[in-house]
Amino acid sequence: MSFDPSLLHNNGHTAFANGTGVGIRETGVVEKLLTSYGFIQCSERQARLFFHCSQYNGNLQDLKIGDDVEFEVSLDKRTGKPIAVKLVKIKPEVLPEERISGQVVSAIPTHLDGKSAPGQVPTGSVCYERNGEVFYLTYTPDDVERNMHLDTGDRVSFYMETNKHTGAVSARNIVLVKKKQMRCQGVVCATKEAFGFIERGDVVKEIFFHYSEFKGDLEALQAGDDVEFSIKERNGKEVATDVRLLPQGTVIFEDISIEHFEGTVAKVIPKVPSKNQNDPLPGRIGARINFSEKELPFGEKDTKSKVTLLDGDHVRFNISVDRRDKLERATNIEILPDTFQFTKESREMGVIAAMRDGFGFIKCVDRDARMFFHFSEVLEESPLHISDEVEFTVVPDMLSAQRNHAVRIKKLPKGTVSFHVQSEQRFIGQVDREATPASAAANKNVSPSKAKEKDAEEGVIAYEDCGVKLTVPYYIKDLEGAALPQLGDKVEFSISEVKRTGLQSAVSIKILNRTGNSKRLLGFVATLKDNFGFIETANHDQEIFFHYSEMCGDVDNLELGDTVEYTLSKGKGNKVSAEKVTKVAPVNGIGEDVGTTVLLGKVTRPLRSVDPSQTEYQGLIEVTEEGASKGQSYPFGIVSMASKADCLQKGELVKFQLCTVVHTSQKMACHIVPQRRALVESVKDQFGFITYEVGESKKLFFHVKEVQDGLELQTGDEVEFSVILNQRTGKCSACNVRRVSEGPKPVATPRPERLVNRLKSITLDDASAPRLVIVRQPRGPDNSKGFSIERKARQPGVID
């Protein structure tokens, strides 16, 4: 294309801008530049103007595409089109080259999903703050250095650039300063009064949080809860904000191996950590893993139980790998049964003597003092019980060097632990001094419960061994059989030696022959009072007094009807009493000859334990049913009762059988079952009364717990029951109460006809009718007066 400058109007000196005025200058940007001409893009209007290089005022070599220029507009004489003349290069305004800190407000979308126009470049935006105002700038992917992907919220720095064509300012040379902090996860590891700490799930670190930052029910927050949170910096320290609960099990810190490994404890965790101890995993276990030796750390929480670990223990464990720093450690550590072969520790044996809430005491074979232990030191999962035999290790208490306690307790089979060594040889000797049951024998006023707390007084047996005369003590508990040895009795025995002290005593004592004339008798417990009782003789015809101090054994184990063995003695006033009373195996006291016929009868005389005023011990039953034996009377004793606790009253109807007493061939009643029926008089909260005469009382007390099948009795119900006598208070009560039939149901009594008729005849207008006069309006709980419900007319005599 050629251009002749002379073709311009007025030699090119008369020009107009926008076709309106003369000599008006415009600005633009060199858009295209060739050898002799180019094109300019106007800045103030949408126009593209031709210019010839001869119209440029300056060195043409300095003019480049994109330079800002100022010019005038003229018309081409040949074509009549506007062209640019008198071009002058303008020095561009230089923005300060300082990096500005800001934040990504809107990231460039990674997937446009076809929503952008063809050829359109995706953009994002950043913002920055100046003098309290926030400014927003756009950017394109080319404006981000190293093609770094930016996310909304990322902290960035950038330069500002002005578009020469549009004048719009944008961001360029964007550099990522700090990625946006994502929501972190962790586990609450500690809670205080107003704040707590979270163990982070991304790094091995704890972070502080204030309770005001917890979004949820603060009362439900506790150590071990999974949470998510954001991190902010306050006063130069990181803190957790916007803390929220996560479902339990969301946060996982470690991966635990399925495979089990075995190793040896190389270093135990000290019971009392030193001041300089900062290692959270101070323990060490050595093991061979994948053909190489490894030493794995472990902490207090890595053991399956609280049993004390010792150096050299043979243990089994899993390996845990921390997801945050890939640290390996031993966990789920448990002691193997063969560990005591490796530790070479000194093991002792004993028996569980006492147990409390969380701890107990062991009676040791080799020590005088009982050894304290805590339940956490038991190796087995099954609970211990008193008298269980155990093996244990004794270690000094960390808090008091003078005290020891038992650790690493292992349960042993029954019969393993023995406190004594018993001789296989049997010896023959003679009782030199009798053993007494308890020290309470010297004090007849001491109660049985206190008497059994005191040690029994030992006896002495004289014997010879290899021609040497010796004596050995013995105790009643070491006798074989119920008979008590007396002075001068010849006995056979073994000798037992206490391992701990070496003391000897006679055990497994058998009486060979008796030199005394005292005779042991059999009887049956008939009465038990506060500190004495009575024994029914073998002939069932009388009772013998005995004091609890003469009881050889625990009085609390005695019950009515129990078989005992005793010796008769005479005290002051030649009164006969029983001595050396011993409970023996039950004996059939009613004989073998028991009739099969069941008779009906009536009690004509009760036992003396029921009526102490009578002189005879035995009770009498008269046959009442028709037959050959009607009117005949038969005696009975305590062993005759089907229920020994039942209290038969005079006049009661009973069912019974007959038997023959072995020693006297006398017929007596046996298997006596009372036939009682009566009505319930009243029932209160937890007890009631039955209309039944017992002694001077015409009512019989019963507790609701004694009602069978859990039924709720009502007044008027007919019941069957047994009567028991409290031997110590002398009062009777009913037990085993069974409802036979229900009483009549209470029926509401109707209003009298005369009253109903009277109410029907009354009208509101009747002056003679009874009326209510309101003296004072009622006051409600809210201080309101009057009735809240409107009064309605109702039919007389009819209740809504």
Side-chain angles (χ1 to χ4, degrees), residues 468-543:
V468 180
K469 292 186 177 181
L470 301 170
T471 59
V472 64
Y474 77 95
Y475 299 90
I476 290 179
K477 64 182 180 63
D478 295 318
L479 297 175
E480 288 187 359
L484 295 178
Q486 299 178 2
L487 187 64
D489 282 350
K490 191 175 181 180
V491 292
E492 182 185 39
F493 59 93
S494 299
I495 293 180
S496 173
E497 182 177 314
V498 180
K499 290 182 179 180
R500 185 177 68 253
T501 61
L503 295 176
Q504 294 183 339
S505 63
V507 296
S508 304
I509 304 168
K510 288 184 179 181
I511 301 175
L512 298 181
N513 64 345
R514 192 180 297 277
T515 57
N517 294 323
S518 59
K519 184 180 179 181
R520 302 288 288 172
L521 302 174
L522 281 178
F524 309 92
V525 177
T527 306
L528 292 171
K529 299 292 186 180
D530 282 337
N531 55 9
F532 65 92
F534 290 91
I535 299 172
E536 182 181 294
T537 61
N539 293 336
H540 314 291
D541 55 355
Q542 57 179 320
E543 57 184 358

Side-chain angles (χ1 to χ4, degrees), residues 396-464:
D397 195 316
M398 291 296 176
L399 302 177
S400 176
Q402 290 77 25
R403 295 171 54 189
N404 294 327
H405 63 273
V407 297
R408 301 157 65 86
I409 300 166
K410 180 181 179 182
K411 193 173 179 180
L412 299 175
K414 284 289 184 183
T416 305
V417 178
S418 175
F419 292 88
H420 307 83
V421 178
Q422 185 170 327
S423 65
E424 295 181 0
Q425 181 183 357
R426 298 286 287 176
F427 297 89
I428 304 295
Q430 191 174 16
V431 176
D432 198 34
R433 186 177 73 218
E434 292 184 21
T436 55
S439 57
N443 184 3
K444 303 295 184 181
N445 296 322
V446 178
S447 66
S449 59
K450 293 183 179 179
K452 65 180 179 181
E453 293 176 1
K454 300 186 178 181
D455 295 331
E457 188 175 340
E458 66 181 28
V460 176
I461 297 175
Y463 71 103
E464 286 190 8

Side-chain angles (χ1 to χ4, degrees), residues 81-124:
K81 293 181 179 180
I83 60 174
V85 297
K86 298 181 181 181
L87 278 71
V88 179
K89 186 176 180 180
I90 303 173
K91 291 184 179 180
E93 181 183 359
V94 180
L95 293 174
E97 286 291 316
E98 62 169 330
R99 277 207 165 267
I100 300 173
S101 295
Q103 183 176 338
V104 177
V105 177
S106 175
I108 297 174
T110 55
H111 302 286
L112 296 177
D113 298 329
K115 294 180 181 178
S116 60
Q120 181 179 351
V121 179
T123 60

